[in-house]
Amino acid sequence: MSFSQERREELRINLEAAQQAVKSASEDFSQVRDPQSPLPRLTVVTKFFPSSDVEALYSLGVRHVGENRDQEASAKATELAEITDAQDPLQWSYIGQLQTNKAKSVVKYAAEVHSIDRISLAQALAKAYSLQVTRWESEEAPAPFAAVRGGLKCLVQVSLEDHDGSTAGHAAEGKRGGAKLDDLLKIADMLNSSAGLECSGVMAVAPLGMNPDAAFEKLYNISQKLREHHPSAQEISAGMSGDLEAAIRWGSTNVRIGSKIMGARPTA
């Protein structure tokens, strides 16, 4: 055990508060949320925090964590693999914008990739996943984490901007990122035609300055269009610490919460 009981208790209190916030928001049926639908899944965003914090979260029952930098995520996944139950493992979601040259690494540990925003990335993931499976079957490498869980679940990150200022693969320029609507079905088709990959739905981040309800209503409508062509693409990954209520009103099935649980980012 590498975490302190003091830190574990801090995380426990924050986690329970976040879980209650999700539960309370889920009781708002004023928009599209169905009273019969399950609670949205809570993915704890652990970027910048040490592996010991993730270990503490695991001891508190957390099984879904999100990271947005491959080097950090890969290291944590490797370090924590031995302390988690193989029958009840941590499931890592890659939620940040991803360079195609990182696909080979991400497919090794990720259960999900939430940020597929261009055809070239979908192709890179398909190629990397297939290669890793081939190496596993030849006993040259471990199995991809997702291989024994039905394959790698992929969400298309879409842009909710009202203009073309946010484009795929441009996070380094300070843009939110996300595929244009014209490319959504092309990416989904590519994913579902690739062995071991599945288009599970959509993800988005509300644009800065945009009303969250307006943003997530737009995302819900995009999701509905995707489902017309790919009925199994039911997931909507939306909502963070500051806007989870609006996201849940508009059908989010997975909220990504960081600061509300983890606290202030650690200083270097």
Side-chain angles (χ1 to χ4, degrees):
M1 182 176 67
S2 60
F3 54 86
S4 70
Q5 288 302 314
E6 181 180 10
R7 176 57 171 161
R8 183 182 187 277
E9 180 64 9
E10 178 184 359
L11 290 170
R12 182 191 67 79
I13 292 170
N14 293 347
L15 176 63
E16 289 183 358
Q19 290 169 332
Q20 183 57 50
V22 170
K23 184 176 183 296
S24 296
S26 299
E27 295 169 358
D28 180 351
F29 305 114
S30 61
Q31 299 301 336
V32 300
R33 180 165 169 76
D34 185 338
Q36 303 303 315
S37 61
L39 290 176
R41 193 182 84 197
L42 171 57
T43 295
V44 183
V45 180
T46 53
K47 62 181 182 180
F48 304 122
F49 289 87
S51 296
S52 58
D53 280 357
V54 185
E55 184 181 359
L57 289 167
Y58 184 83
S59 77
L60 293 166
V62 170
R63 296 296 182 267
H64 295 275
V65 290
E67 293 277 339
N68 71 346
R69 298 190 302 177
D70 170 63
Q71 185 174 1
E72 181 178 352
S74 178
K76 287 178 182 176
T78 299
E79 182 178 351
L80 294 170
E82 293 185 0
I83 64 95
T84 63
D85 184 346
Q87 301 303 315
D88 189 22
L90 274 167
Q91 299 196 38
W92 298 85
S93 294
Y94 191 87
I95 60 176
Q97 288 208 324
L98 182 62
Q99 296 176 336
T100 56
N101 63 358
K102 298 293 186 181
K104 291 180 181 179
S105 175
V106 169
V107 299
K108 294 178 182 178
Y109 62 82
E112 300 178 339
V113 178
H114 286 214
S115 49
I116 300 173
D117 59 1
R118 56 202 187 278
I119 286 285
S120 61
L121 179 55
Q123 292 171 328
L125 284 167
K127 181 178 179 180
Y129 187 87
S130 177
L131 178 61
Q132 190 68 18
V133 168
T134 298
R135 295 185 66 209
W136 166 46
E137 291 175 342
S138 301
E139 299 183 350
E140 298 175 6
F145 178 88
V148 296
R149 294 167 181 84
L152 184 66
K153 297 188 180 302
C154 301
L155 281 74
V156 181
Q157 182 177 357
V158 295
S159 172
L160 300 180
E161 299 281 353
D162 291 328
H163 52 80
D164 290 335
S166 178
T167 54
H170 286 245
E173 301 172 13
K175 298 174 181 176
R176 286 296 201 187
K180 296 179 181 179
L181 297 186
D182 291 346
D183 294 328
L184 172 61
L185 291 181
K186 297 176 185 177
I187 297 171
D189 290 344
M190 172 68 200
L191 292 169
N192 280 340
S193 66
S194 302
L197 272 57
E198 176 189 355
C199 180
S200 299
V202 293
M203 184 273 263
V205 179
L208 295 173
M210 186 175 185
N211 178 278
D213 275 283
F216 296 130
E217 179 182 11
K218 184 174 183 178
L219 180 61
Y220 175 78
N221 290 332
I222 292 170
S223 172
Q224 294 300 103
K225 291 179 181 178
L226 176 61
R227 293 180 196 185
E228 291 176 5
H229 297 268
H230 296 281
S232 63
Q234 297 287 316
E235 299 295 325
I236 300 176
S237 177
M240 299 187 291
S241 293
D243 57 16
L244 67 89
E245 293 85 2
I248 292 172
R249 275 195 293 274
W250 288 102
S252 175
T253 62
N254 177 57
V255 293
R256 311 177 305 272
I257 298 182
S259 60
K260 187 183 287 287
I261 295 172
M262 306 306 296
R265 182 183 301 177
T267 56

